[in-house]
Amino acid sequence: MLIGVIADDFTGASDIANTLAKGLPGQGGLRTVQYLGIPVEDAAADVDAGVIALKSRSIAAADAVEQSLSALDWLLRQGCRQIVFKYCSTFDSTPAGNIGQVGEALADALGVKGVVACPAFPGAGRTVYQGHLFVKDKLLNESGLQNHPLNPMTDADIRRWLRQQTRSEVGHVSVDVVRDGPKATATALEAAANAQQTLVIVDAISDNDLVSIGEAVAGHRLITGGSGIAIGLPANFINRGLAKGNSSAGIGVRGPDAILAGSCSGATREQVELHKARHPTMAIDVDSVMEGRTRPGDIAAFLLRHEGQAPLAYSSGAPDAVRALQEKYGREKVAHALDQFFADTARELVRSGVRRLVVAGGETSGAVVSALDLGALAIGPEIDPGVPVLVSDGPEPVALALKSGNFGSPDFFTKALERLVGQ
């Protein structure tokens, strides 16, 4: 294995797995497998890139560090030459963690400093300029992410935000340096390392910037960022003859379908509203779930009754409604109850024969795939930027699309179900 990725949630893992498998146009990417949690057995010999999906984004920092170091140990045993710590392109974290703590812990374990920290993903509208994170044309803290129910982002200056989570000062490499070329970027990162700066925010406005950064870190043991930071990494190994390049196959599965949406992001709410106009849809009453009046079997029964009609069940709500529920029951209690509810619903669906499943929301996706225990997932073609087709192994494979809340076009749900069929 050449590249090992530690992802802090399941949708983010499939996002960067897609990036590594796709590679650069005309060249292809790496043979990539996504693992749901830390594997017990060694990877297959033909795997170029392994992506370990953790559910560590919103847990206590100490627990996130412990899990990430365990993942690092497994990846190093597979012979990985480069490690990527993947977090959300909107830098989802509180001032108490977990990006800084995990990044520093991995850097300490590998004995490195001057480590890139770049959440940019221009294809999804995330760019970094002068150390500030933008979502399309808005600063992060004015984009709606300030209302995130678990990790509200109230400061777009991610150098300042990250410094609250780290022991050492946080460096910065401007886009002007990046556009001077890979050598200039490498020199700036070396200077940051000499100044004992462990993590360094690196600006990136375009995919070309990310490709240039990728070339600059060809020999680095550790990189951190969103999935965009991996755009240029496969080429480093392909150009050195260590990998052949690979195109994502048109894999998929035929069979009954269902959609579960637990994200409260603006993009997901828009997708839900569009889908409701033409397909069977059920809103999940969170009060009823919390009080035990609505059970997973009720939702599964509705979705199964509408097999073949792209049925959707969702708990997505506007920020004010979400805050009201959190105040009534407690934020963690609501989050845990809904995660478990969606997990139990998905388990019932697959047990009843559903073979194509679309899930919206990082936390929801993590809960669902953990419950299904599908093992390693093959990476198929891209549905929308950052969201590939995923297919489990075994006699009864399941095809999945795991979508971060803010990802996907308005018609994502129907598009995803179609792509999950394969070719």
Side-chain angles (χ1 to χ4, degrees):
M1 190 180 291
L2 301 171
I3 295 179
V5 179
I6 302 166
D8 67 357
D9 84 335
F10 287 72
T11 56
S14 60
D15 180 359
I16 195 167
N18 172 67
T19 303
L20 290 168
K22 185 170 61 173
L24 294 177
Q27 185 178 54
L30 303 179
R31 289 167 292 184
T32 305
V33 172
Q34 179 174 332
Y35 304 98
L36 307 178
I38 302 169
V40 175
E41 299 179 351
D42 286 345
D46 63 348
V47 175
D48 293 326
V51 181
I52 294 179
L54 301 178
K55 197 171 184 289
S56 58
R57 178 170 300 170
S58 301
I59 65 177
D63 294 334
V65 168
E66 181 180 6
Q67 291 183 24
S68 300
L69 289 175
S70 295
L72 174 65
D73 287 342
W74 185 85
L75 290 168
L76 293 178
R77 289 200 302 272
Q78 310 313 306
C80 289
R81 304 186 183 201
Q82 192 166 64
I83 301 296
V84 181
F85 169 39
K86 195 278 175 193
Y87 40 81
C88 188
S89 60
T90 48
F91 217 69
D92 293 0
S93 62
T94 67
N98 292 338
I99 294 172
Q101 288 92 330
V102 171
E104 281 194 327
L106 294 172
D108 290 347
L110 292 169
V112 295
K113 293 190 179 297
V115 176
V116 166
C118 181
F121 187 7
R126 280 75 161 148
T127 56
V128 181
Y129 178 68
Q130 297 297 354
H132 287 66
L133 182 54
F134 288 79
V135 177
K136 297 182 179 177
D137 62 342
K138 297 183 182 298
L139 287 164
L140 179 68
N141 58 305
E142 298 173 1
S143 67
L145 270 297
Q146 70 271 26
N147 298 316
H148 193 289
L150 294 178
N151 300 308
M153 296 303 297
T154 57
D155 190 351
D157 186 338
I158 52 174
R159 183 179 181 184
R160 182 166 56 205
W161 193 262
L162 188 59
R163 183 63 184 90
Q164 299 177 79
Q165 307 172 2
T166 59
R167 299 185 307 275
S168 67
E169 291 297 324
V170 176
H172 175 237
V173 176
S174 73
V175 72
D176 292 334
V177 173
V178 171
R179 291 184 174 177
D180 280 341
K183 288 185 179 180
T185 302
T187 298
L189 292 171
E190 183 178 359
N194 291 335
Q196 298 300 300
Q197 296 169 346
T198 302
L199 299 175
V200 184
I201 302 296
V202 181
D203 288 353
I205 299 173
S206 69
D207 283 353
N208 287 337
D209 295 333
L210 292 169
V211 172
S212 181
I213 295 167
E215 186 177 342
V217 299
H220 285 215
R221 296 289 315 278
L222 176 66
I223 305 156
T224 83
S227 64
I229 198 62
I231 288 175
L233 301 185
N236 294 331
F237 295 96
I238 294 169
N239 291 338
R240 288 154 59 191
L242 298 174
K244 295 181 179 179
N246 177 62
S247 297
S248 297
I251 59 176
V253 176
R254 293 186 179 276
D257 53 11
I259 306 165
L260 298 172
S263 168
C264 297
S265 72
T268 297
R269 296 201 310 275
E270 180 184 1
Q271 290 156 355
V272 167
E273 288 303 311
L274 180 64
H275 199 80
K276 284 167 63 175
R278 296 186 178 182
H279 303 278
T281 306
M282 173 178 279
I284 297 171
D285 186 327
V286 178
D287 272 313
S288 184
V289 170
M290 299 302 296
E291 295 169 7
R293 291 182 284 109
T294 297
R295 300 184 180 279
D298 302 326
I299 306 303
F302 168 83
L303 295 169
L304 291 168
R305 280 199 307 273
H306 295 283
E307 176 187 324
Q309 302 175 57
L312 162 70
Y314 69 97
S315 68
S316 307
D320 289 346
V322 173
R323 278 193 294 269
L325 288 165
Q326 290 175 338
E327 290 171 2
K328 182 176 181 179
Y329 297 105
R331 187 180 76 171
E332 296 301 326
K333 189 174 181 180
V334 171
H336 176 74
L338 286 177
D339 282 354
Q340 190 61 53
F341 186 88
F342 278 111
D344 291 343
T345 301
R347 192 184 292 112
E348 179 65 27
L349 290 170
V350 172
R351 187 163 42 230
S352 299
V354 167
R355 290 293 172 263
R356 289 180 294 140
L357 188 61
V358 177
V359 188
E363 297 298 319
T364 305
S365 295
V368 165
V369 294
S370 295
L372 295 180
D373 192 23
L374 297 173
L377 300 175
I379 311 301
E382 187 175 60
I383 301 167
D384 267 339
V387 190
V389 171
L390 304 171
V391 179
S392 67
D393 199 2
E396 295 185 335
V398 177
L400 298 164
L402 308 177
K403 183 190 85 73
S404 293
N406 283 296
F407 279 21
S409 57
D411 63 344
F412 175 81
F413 292 140
T414 52
K415 182 194 304 181
L417 287 177
E418 292 170 0
R419 298 284 176 83
L420 292 181
V421 173
Q423 297 177 353

